Amino acid sequence: MAEKSFKYVILGGGVAAGYAAREFANQGVKFGELAIISKEAVAPYERPALSKAYLFPEFASLFLDLLLHSKFHTAIGFAAPARLPGFHTCVGSGGERLLPEWYAEKGIALILGTEIVKADLASKTLISAAGEIFKFHILVIATGSTVIRLTDFGVQGADSKNIFYLREVDDADKLVEAIKAKKKGKAVIVGGGYIGLELSAVMKINNLDVSMVYPEPWCMPRLFTAGIAAFYEGYYANKGIQIIKGTVAVGFNADADGEVKEVKLKDGRVLEADIVVVGVGGRPLTVLFKGQVEEDKGGIKTDSFFRTSVPDVYAVGDVATFPMKMYDEMRRVEHVDHSRKSAEHAVKAIFASEVGKSVDEYDYLPYFYSRSFNLSWQFYGDNVGATVLFGDNNPSSENPKFGSYWIKDGKVVGAFLESGTPEENKAIAKVARVQPPAESLDQLAKEGLTFACKI
């Protein structure tokens, strides 16, 4: 099979790939120099849509005019369901939607439906499952993460039908079909993190009976404090979602057709289920490069320009473990915001180096967000140290609005806000970046959002 050669290759077709491609175009990449190789069959898209608007009920589209001209959509979290090509990158950050035609116009080869099974960085060669050979001069690794599956651990019945994971459009399409087929059925969400919270909400919007199961003492434990989590758990319970904490799924029972019917929990309980969605984390896709690049903290180690230990090889997004300048330590970040920004920064660094120039070191402010029902929160900075909670965090309030600060060594290093305005969210971001002193935790709690708005 004839080999194909490109000056630049982006390996992976997710968010980072789309934003890297746009930056390549901005930097003046020449026609035919760049290729994106992706195992997915579609051009890069904004992956967060899959756990939100992609799963909205289709009947919402019948009421689109109502939704657009009233507060109805805000009150219950509805909008018309998202579908491609509507959320190709880079619309998620307010940018241009890059359709397949855009790549063709720029002379960027979109090599889709192509899984790379071998990478030889020394010879700058990639080989696909079909035996195709791709040569590169500069490689940008943007392979992202894969979901952790219960079948990986031999969980009994975990291969039953209607047990779903959510990572790609194909996964979301299968889940949409199951939701249609199991109207008013029972859904069990395994996991209490991002996917667990967002999928529980969207399943409830689809009028399913929802239970959420996770082993931790509260939801989103990697970020939320007990006080923050108590609000979301209470809010979800008020929506009719059953929350089961402190236990795990240890098996699944299926019917004669192989469809899941029950979820067996470690504490002995058995939950009825027509649909199960598992969201228990992910792993960075680095296996192709094992033994070829230096690794750190589960990812591929890079410098502040996303250069790996191998010349002409860069790593961005979920797979990159990079110097977090603000905190003077190496970190790996799994979030769409970092995927976008790291991809752009790496491409700028590539072009600068080619003309003997340099760019500033990557100076990332950690940022996380989520939306569900009519809730929307944002977090900036580092969630370490003492915490204070402020505002109205009563889950039964008509318009709850609250936040939290993290204080370390007398400085505010992190800030969280639920239902903030754009201006207020900018204010908490500034607090996390500036790290102002906090002399009294009691005073900080009393000032609440006012403290951020005056910085």
Side-chain angles (χ1 to χ4, degrees):
M1 192 171 288
E3 70 178 37
K4 297 178 181 178
S5 183
F6 300 92
K7 184 175 182 180
Y8 311 103
V9 168
I10 300 168
L11 182 56
V15 171
Y19 282 77
R22 183 178 66 170
E23 190 58 39
F24 268 107
N26 290 342
Q27 295 290 335
V29 69
K30 293 182 174 62
F31 204 93
E33 285 187 332
L34 172 63
I36 294 176
I37 304 176
S38 172
K39 75 180 184 68
E40 291 194 70
V42 295
Y45 56 89
E46 302 283 1
R47 208 175 292 281
L50 299 183
S51 60
K52 302 178 181 71
Y54 202 88
L55 301 177
F56 284 172
E58 288 192 358
F59 73 77
S61 61
L62 300 176
F63 301 105
L64 183 56
D65 287 340
L66 174 64
L67 299 177
L68 292 175
H69 298 101
S70 74
K71 295 182 180 179
F72 180 69
H73 70 290
T74 302
I76 62 173
F78 279 0
R83 291 291 181 269
L84 289 173
F87 59 98
H88 281 298
T89 53
C90 300
V91 296
S93 60
E96 179 185 1
R97 184 175 47 151
L98 309 184
L99 301 174
E101 294 81 3
W102 179 88
Y103 294 90
E105 290 168 2
K106 300 294 183 182
I108 299 171
L110 270 181
I111 304 172
L112 305 177
T114 300
E115 183 179 6
I116 297 299
V117 295
K118 183 178 180 182
D120 187 331
L121 300 184
S123 66
K124 299 189 173 184
T125 304
L126 305 173
I127 301 174
S128 76
E132 299 163 291
I133 298 172
F134 302 95
K135 304 286 285 188
F136 62 85
H137 176 61
I138 292 177
L139 177 66
V140 178
I141 300 170
T143 43
S145 296
T146 186
V147 295
I148 294 173
R149 297 178 180 272
L150 297 183
T151 48
D152 297 342
F153 306 103
V155 175
Q156 176 261 320
D159 57 351
S160 301
K161 296 176 184 176
N162 293 335
I163 297 179
F164 299 95
Y165 300 82
L166 192 61
R167 180 65 187 175
E168 300 176 356
V169 164
D170 284 350
D171 301 325
D173 285 339
K174 292 172 185 174
L175 184 53
V176 167
E177 291 307 309
I179 291 170
K180 291 177 183 176
K182 305 294 182 181
K183 291 183 185 299
K184 297 185 179 179
K186 296 182 182 294
V188 175
I189 311 300
V190 178
Y194 265 109
I195 292 295
L197 287 167
E198 294 184 353
L199 265 293
S200 293
V202 82
M203 288 296 193
K204 194 64 184 178
I205 288 171
N206 276 282
N207 203 25
L208 277 82
D209 182 352
V210 181
S211 299
M212 182 164 57
V213 180
Y214 47 92
E216 298 87 0
W218 62 78
C219 64
M220 285 282 289
R222 290 170 60 185
L223 175 59
F224 288 178
T225 63
I228 293 173
F231 166 81
Y232 294 99
E233 291 172 351
Y235 189 96
Y236 276 48
N238 289 344
K239 291 288 187 181
I241 295 171
Q242 181 186 18
I243 294 176
I244 302 170
K245 301 185 283 186
T247 190
V248 295
V250 293
F252 301 89
N253 293 329
D255 64 13
D257 295 323
E259 292 190 357
V260 68
K261 287 299 171 186
E262 293 178 329
V263 181
K264 297 187 290 186
L265 304 184
K266 189 174 184 179
D267 65 8
R269 280 181 280 184
V270 178
L271 306 177
E272 294 181 35
D274 299 297
I275 296 173
V276 174
V277 185
V278 181
V280 292
R283 293 191 184 98
L285 281 168
T286 60
V287 65
L288 285 173
F289 314 102
K290 292 287 184 185
Q292 300 184 73
V293 293
E294 189 175 345
E295 297 185 62
D296 190 14
K297 298 183 177 178
I300 297 172
K301 186 177 182 180
T302 76
D303 63 12
S304 296
F305 310 100
F306 298 100
R307 297 177 297 205
T308 72
S309 58
V310 178
D312 298 325
V313 176
Y314 294 70
V316 298
D318 290 2
V319 298
T321 301
F322 63 97
M324 185 79 78
K325 187 176 180 180
M326 284 191 65
Y327 309 120
D328 192 28
E329 65 181 52
M330 298 295 291
R331 292 196 185 181
R332 192 176 65 82
V333 175
E334 293 182 5
H335 194 264
V336 63
D337 181 63
H338 165 67
S339 291
R340 294 166 179 159
K341 291 176 179 175
S342 61
E344 292 173 339
H345 198 85
V347 175
K348 289 175 182 175
I350 288 169
F351 276 82
S353 67
E354 290 180 344
V355 294
K357 295 183 179 179
S358 63
V359 295
D360 292 336
E361 293 182 327
Y362 189 61
D363 188 10
Y364 185 66
L365 174 66
Y367 165 54
F368 301 93
Y369 71 89
S370 184
R371 295 186 296 272
S372 58
F373 294 117
N374 64 332
L375 303 174
S376 177
W377 60 260
Q378 295 191 13
F379 167 85
Y380 295 89
D382 212 10
N383 59 329
V384 295
T387 61
V388 297
L389 193 65
F390 60 84
D392 178 8
N393 66 330
N394 183 340
S396 299
S397 292
E398 185 175 347
N399 295 297
K401 184 171 186 173
F402 70 97
S404 185
Y405 295 118
W406 283 257
I407 302 93
K408 182 182 179 183
D409 298 331
K411 298 184 294 184
V412 180
V413 296
F416 172 98
L417 184 61
E418 166 61 49
S419 298
T421 65
E423 293 75 19
E424 290 166 343
N425 288 327
K426 287 179 182 177
I428 66 165
K430 186 176 180 181
V431 164
R433 172 67 75 179
V434 173
Q435 299 185 0
E439 297 178 2
S440 165
L441 298 186
D442 290 339
Q443 182 63 26
L444 189 59
K446 185 176 180 180
E447 287 189 43
L449 191 54
T450 302
F451 175 84
C453 293
K454 69 182 184 181
I455 297 300

